[in-house]
Amino acid sequence: MTWTAPSVARTRQLGDLGSVTERRMLEGWLTWHRETLLAKCAGLDPDRLARATVEPSSLTLLGLVRHMAEVERSWFRRGFAGEEVGDVFTGPSDGDEGLAGVLAVGAERDFTVYRAEVEACDAAAAGHDLDETFTSSRGVALSLRWVYMVMIQEYARHNGHADLLRERTDGVTGDA
């Protein structure tokens, strides 16, 4: 039996985030967007996940999953937590940040790596105040709050790409 990207059960409902603390709201929106990316991939086999469907772009759903693992690690673990960890798939210095080198044969592994990276990033932020700062690679002081905001923005932008890729793959549209 061929592996397919697993279905995603929503753990957050956006309506429930309207009157919670700022921290819970930021975490909730980030979780929503993480789940949205995975939902856009759900049910697809490795070949379809690795297929570029919006010409002339070479962007793929699997590439987006890999890219977001890189971006998560870069901001939460390397930046905020100061961990000295290498690249997940490829690095910022190559300009691809996980988008290139996508192979259908690695899809199941790539999803496992993505989920593990999300857990590690959540752990890196846990127990820290949103106002806690770090110095970016460009010498700018940034807060954990800023990291949450940039991650929500990054997912929102790429989930728009995922909408188009999924629709071109098999016609599926919508939030889930």
Side-chain angles (χ1 to χ4, degrees), residues 36-121:
T36 297
L37 178 59
L38 294 176
K40 292 295 172 184
C41 298
L44 295 178
D45 65 33
D47 288 331
R48 291 166 83 179
L49 288 166
R51 185 177 305 136
T53 58
V54 183
E55 298 79 17
S57 174
S58 61
L59 193 62
T60 66
L61 287 165
L62 185 56
L64 288 174
V65 169
R66 292 163 48 97
H67 175 68
M68 292 313 300
E70 288 288 348
V71 174
E72 292 256 7
R73 177 176 282 197
S74 179
W75 284 114
F76 280 111
R77 296 182 64 198
R78 281 196 207 107
F80 176 72
E83 294 180 29
E84 293 189 22
V85 290
D87 300 328
V88 183
F89 296 105
T90 60
S93 61
D94 71 7
D96 290 322
E97 296 178 316
L99 293 169
V102 174
L103 299 173
V105 70
E108 184 175 9
R109 180 205 65 221
D110 292 351
F111 269 73
T112 299
V113 168
Y114 168 82
R115 288 183 181 271
E117 194 58 38
V118 165
E119 286 181 25
C121 290

Side-chain angles (χ1 to χ4, degrees), residues 108-156:
E108 184 175 9
R109 180 205 65 221
D110 292 351
F111 269 73
T112 299
V113 168
Y114 168 82
R115 288 183 181 271
E117 194 58 38
V118 165
E119 286 181 25
C121 290
D122 285 345
H128 292 277
D129 190 87
L130 292 174
D131 291 325
E132 190 172 326
T133 63
F134 66 101
T135 303
S136 76
S137 60
R138 294 183 177 161
V140 177
L142 301 171
S143 68
L144 178 57
R145 177 183 290 103
W146 190 92
V147 173
Y148 275 103
M149 294 302 296
V150 80
M151 288 304 303
I152 292 166
Q153 170 279 141
E154 184 85 5
Y155 271 102

